[in-house]
Amino acid sequence: MSDERPIGGIHHVTAIASDPQRNVDFYGRVLGLRLVKRTVNFDDPGTYHLYYGDEIGRPGTILTFFPWPGAGRGSRGTGQQTATAFAVPPASLGYWQERLARHAVAVEGPRSRWGDDYLTFADPDGLLLELVAWQGASARPAWAGGPVPAEHAIRGFYGLTLCQRQGGPTAELLAAMGFRARAEEGLRQRFEIGDGAARAHVDLLVKPGGAAGRIAAGSVHHVAWRVADEGAQLAWRRRLLEAGLAVTEVRDRRYFRSIYFREPGGVLFELATDGPGFTRDEPAERLGESLKLPPWLEAERARLEAALPPLEAPA
Ligand code: ZN
């Protein structure tokens, strides 16, 4: 019997930043996310890999960055995930408008899309973000230890926007991956993935003839979807290979296991396992406080620490 367990929603989103301290200050101090892991880019260990999320970095709440000091700015366009949307409780949008204004973040909105009000703004590198007032947010745990009161805290992702030159091939793949088509308006088609509190909204925005985006600071590098464990991951790997996609071998990312492939519109997709999670190498109450390295890089710790720029935790 093949393993038919579904894709469970968004696992994480990984984007590119320039200055790491500015990144920590914005996501930790302004947005109030918890820095749940401070490690290096396993494929480029001379640079940081920073993970933000809820209290323990549950799948569906994790935004990660490769900060490359001095990196040039990318451009938004087709073949990219162009808008990363966080969920907040419905009554919290006013709080956020005020908070972002107080931190001199330029905000557009609120606007409404399919009945959900949202604010639009950008991080210091130009990464496009949305805060969406969503009923489902209240069913998710809130981190009480950050600078944002728990009642208003960001509750993981609301959804993502895939911007494409043509929608057909990507829509077909999403359907094969179990995404449910929910609504359509003009050139925007909405899909959902995951159930209950894990539900996420994925919009396919078609821009015929739209210029391709350039991935650098301020753009999303890849998006990862949840699979329960390695068995479900291998079953999906087989199915995707059979569908003709070029899927990588399983890679050990220490806090989860990953496979990668490019969807037909050009966005890099990953399927990541729910476990083992960020408490694998430090206790929940100390997450993100010190530099963690995987066993295969531990011998190089002194050299890596000397090369990495100093990083102060968010106050
Ligand atoms: Zn990833």
Side-chain angles (χ1 to χ4, degrees), residues 40 42 94 102 165 199 203 212 215 231 249 251 264 296 299 304-305:
V40 294
F42 294 176
R102 202 164 62 238
R165 212 177 263 253
R199 182 152 58 102
D203 287 1
I215 293 182
E249 295 292 323
R251 294 190 189 151
W296 61 90
L304 292 173
E305 279 183 340

Side-chain angles (χ1 to χ4, degrees), residues 59-177:
T61 73
I62 312 159
L63 178 60
T64 98
F65 286 91
F66 297 135
W68 283 310
R73 204 171 259 216
S75 62
R76 264 193 297 283
T78 56
Q80 284 183 331
Q81 196 284 102
T82 49
T84 303
F86 292 109
V88 294
S92 296
L93 221 50
Y95 167 87
W96 278 101
Q97 253 180 312
E98 225 170 84
R99 181 178 181 83
L100 292 168
R102 202 164 62 238
H103 285 90
V105 178
V107 177
E108 286 177 32
R111 297 197 187 101
S112 185
R113 191 180 287 141
W114 285 305
D116 293 332
D117 292 346
Y118 66 99
L119 305 174
T120 305
F121 55 101
D123 85 355
D125 286 300
L127 185 73
L128 191 67
L129 301 170
E130 294 172 346
L131 279 181
V132 186
W134 183 47
Q135 283 299 339
S138 309
R140 296 177 176 175
W143 181 40
V148 175
E151 57 175 317
H152 299 306
I154 285 174
R155 314 285 175 96
F157 294 118
Y158 169 87
L160 308 173
T161 298
L162 305 170
C163 182
Q164 309 283 18
R165 212 177 263 253
Q166 52 167 336
T170 298
E172 233 171 84
L173 174 67
L174 292 178
M177 290 172 68

